[in-house]
Amino acid sequence: MDDDFQQDKPLLRVSRLTKFYGNRVGCRDVSFELWPGEVLAIVGESGSGKTTLLSSLWGDLKPTTGCVEYLMRDGRMRDVNALSEAERRLLMRTDWGFVRQNPADGLRMNVTAGANVGERLMAVGARHYGDIRANALDWMGRVEIPGDRVDDMPRDFSGGMRQRLQIARNLVTGPRLVFMDEPTGGLDVSVQARLLDLLRGLVSRLNIAVIIVTHDLAVARLLSHRVLVMKSGSVVEEGLTDQVLDDPQAAYSQLLVSSILQV
């Protein structure tokens, strides 16, 4: 499928996605489209529903109602929740990635850094040890991890280096869509800035679509083209990032922005 064809359809189409926990609302009636190469930030305070939404999109949670459609490489929009288990596993190993807030949750801590990156290649059929190792070294270099750390264990890495390793593990198979859950959370400010600069460069060069959950509006401004603002499980405002953050229309969005300005 050529790039022109891909641009004719959204990469992801979400329609009235709702998740209940018993009588409690996780997220309700969320709809949006995500286009190839677009970065969408989902923002809101703790308990706003943004993490539930992300988990429902990725598949950690099964939505109560609604539809998540993805543009497969054969040009068809498919309901992700209707895929077979084998199809879903393949999607998550190839076209999708997930960068988790705690890198230990997205890495195998009992194997080397190089093996963490190489495992994802093996999951899509790579078998030549030399090629796998060369790819792992290449991607470690891209995320600014020295090549001489390739045989070190992730437990011996700093938090920022673990997060960069998790990014390399996710991007090595050339995904078209990456989910990120507070990727800079828990890191020192200087480490956050370096990681964000790295992410912005990689996403732009590789033309990856990203859905990022963050409570940090500075992260949203730096990385995203568009923003969804969530409150109590619902989207209260959406639009271009600079437009929403510079001139918020919803009262809750105004409160979020003003609280940052007052810090």
Side-chain angles (χ1 to χ4, degrees):
M1 183 171 59
D2 60 36
D3 290 340
D4 291 338
F5 181 79
Q6 290 187 34
Q7 298 297 331
D8 290 340
K9 297 180 182 178
L11 187 65
L12 192 76
R13 179 184 293 127
V14 180
S15 305
R16 305 200 67 179
L17 194 68
T18 298
K19 174 63 181 178
F20 287 111
Y21 301 98
N23 293 324
R24 185 168 65 87
V25 176
C27 61
R28 185 199 298 270
D29 286 339
V30 178
S31 299
F32 65 87
E33 292 181 341
L34 181 76
W35 294 83
E38 183 181 24
V39 180
L40 174 70
I42 303 171
V43 303
E45 61 190 344
S46 178
S48 62
K50 59 187 188 296
T51 299
T52 295
L53 175 58
L54 190 71
S55 296
S56 298
L57 295 172
W58 167 255
D60 283 344
L61 294 175
K62 184 173 178 60
T64 305
T65 59
C67 185
V68 179
E69 295 174 286
Y70 180 70
L71 181 63
M72 308 298 282
R73 288 184 182 263
D74 63 6
R76 292 183 297 160
M77 294 293 294
R78 297 281 304 278
D79 180 351
V80 174
N81 291 305
L83 296 177
S84 69
E85 186 59 31
E87 288 175 319
R88 190 172 185 83
R89 281 199 306 269
L90 181 61
L91 184 68
M92 291 179 173
R93 290 172 177 170
T94 55
D95 261 24
W96 286 14
F98 197 124
V99 176
R100 299 183 184 274
Q101 178 176 357
N102 181 357
D105 294 334
L107 295 171
R108 288 190 59 196
M109 300 298 286
N110 61 338
V111 302
T112 67
N116 264 281
V117 180
E119 270 189 340
R120 188 160 159 114
L121 288 169
M122 293 177 67
V124 297
R127 292 294 179 266
H128 189 280
Y129 174 79
D131 291 343
I132 292 170
R133 188 173 176 87
N135 268 310
L137 282 165
D138 174 54
W139 268 99
M140 288 177 65
R142 294 195 203 192
V143 298
E144 302 174 0
I145 298 175
D148 61 7
R149 303 296 303 270
V150 66
D151 294 318
D152 290 354
M153 306 297 281
R155 62 173 175 266
D156 297 325
F157 287 2
S158 67
M161 193 175 288
R162 287 182 188 178
Q163 194 62 292
R164 297 200 301 276
L165 180 62
Q166 187 189 184
I167 291 166
R169 177 181 168 94
N170 275 276
L171 298 188
V172 69
T173 54
R176 293 188 294 156
L177 172 59
V178 177
F179 301 86
M180 298 183 183
D181 185 9
E182 300 278 9
T184 61
L187 299 177
D188 293 340
V189 173
S190 60
V191 178
Q192 285 186 27
R194 185 176 173 187
L195 183 63
L196 285 170
D197 188 55
L198 174 69
L199 277 173
R200 183 170 60 173
L202 286 171
V203 167
S204 175
R205 286 195 299 274
L206 299 172
N207 197 36
I208 303 167
V210 176
I211 297 177
I212 181 170
V213 158
T214 181
H215 69 281
D216 189 335
L217 299 186
V219 171
R221 188 185 290 277
L222 186 68
L223 290 181
S224 69
H225 302 102
R226 198 156 48 93
V227 169
L228 297 183
V229 182
M230 293 192 70
K231 178 180 184 293
S232 302
S234 297
V235 175
V236 297
E237 186 166 357
E238 62 179 295
L240 297 176
T241 300
D242 287 344
Q243 185 177 51
V244 171
L245 297 186
D246 290 340
D247 186 23
Q249 300 301 302
Y252 177 71
S253 305
Q254 293 169 2
L255 183 64
L256 274 183
V257 172
S258 65
S259 68
I260 297 301
L261 295 176
Q262 292 168 10
V263 172

